[in-house]
C-alpha cells in the first residue's frame, strides 16, 4: 500500500533463506502484520524439534512462526500457528 492507502504493484524478488527471514522478522516483528513480542528463536521442543520463532501477542497468547521451504530452491513460506480465538487465556497469578 502506498502512503495514501492505495495498493501498489510489487516487484518479484527471490525469497531469502529461512535464517535471513528470521533475522528480518526479529529486527522488525511488525512485518508480521500484528503486534507481537518475540520471546525466542530456534526454541527446542519436547519432541526434539525446534520452533523457528516464538512470540506472545497483546492478549498473552503464544504465537509460533514456522518458516518452511517450498519446492523451489528460493521459496520460503512463513506459517503462523496460534491458539484459536477464544481459547487463549492470559496467565493468571495465584493469590
Amino acid at each position: 500500500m502506498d502512503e495514501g492507502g492505495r495498493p501498489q504493484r510489487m516487484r518479484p524478488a527471490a525469497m531469502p533463506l529461512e535464517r535471513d527471514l528470521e533475522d528480518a522478522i526479529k529486527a522488525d516483528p511488525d512485518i508480521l502484520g500484528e503486534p507481537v513480542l518475540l520471546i525466542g528463536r530456534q526454541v527446542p521442543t519436547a519432541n526434539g524439534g525446534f520452533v523457528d520463532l516464538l512470540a506472545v501477542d497483546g492478549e498473552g497468547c503464544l504465537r509460533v512462526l514456522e518458516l518452511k521451504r517450498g519446492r523451489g530452491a528460493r521459496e520460503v513460506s512463513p506459517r503462523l500457528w496460534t491458539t484459536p480465538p477464544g481459547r487463549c487465556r492470559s496467565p493468571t497469578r495465584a493469590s
Side-chain angles (χ1 to χ4, degrees), residues 61-75:
C61 296
L62 285 178
R63 303 294 182 130
V64 175
L65 183 68
E66 278 294 314
L67 307 172
K68 297 296 177 197
R69 292 193 69 96
R71 291 186 182 261
R74 294 181 184 247
E75 291 178 23

Side-chain angles (χ1 to χ4, degrees), residues 18-32:
E18 287 181 29
R19 71 176 173 266
D20 296 335
L21 189 52
E22 281 182 33
D23 288 341
I25 293 168
K26 184 178 176 190
D28 184 9
D30 289 344
I31 66 175
L32 295 175

Side-chain angles (χ1 to χ4, degrees), residues 6-86:
R6 295 176 299 271
Q8 281 191 301
R9 186 173 302 270
M10 296 178 65
R11 294 180 297 142
M15 285 296 288
L17 297 173
E18 287 181 29
R19 71 176 173 266
D20 296 335
L21 189 52
E22 281 182 33
D23 288 341
I25 293 168
K26 184 178 176 190
D28 184 9
D30 289 344
I31 66 175
L32 295 175
E34 68 177 270
V36 296
L37 172 65
L38 290 176
I39 59 173
R41 183 176 178 179
Q42 294 300 317
V43 179
T45 64
N47 67 355
F50 290 88
V51 169
D52 291 334
L53 295 167
L54 185 62
V56 176
D57 68 14
E59 296 178 9
C61 296
L62 285 178
R63 303 294 182 130
V64 175
L65 183 68
E66 278 294 314
L67 307 172
K68 297 296 177 197
R69 292 193 69 96
R71 291 186 182 261
R74 294 181 184 247
E75 291 178 23
V76 178
S77 173
R79 298 201 174 115
L80 184 65
W81 283 281
T82 185
T83 307

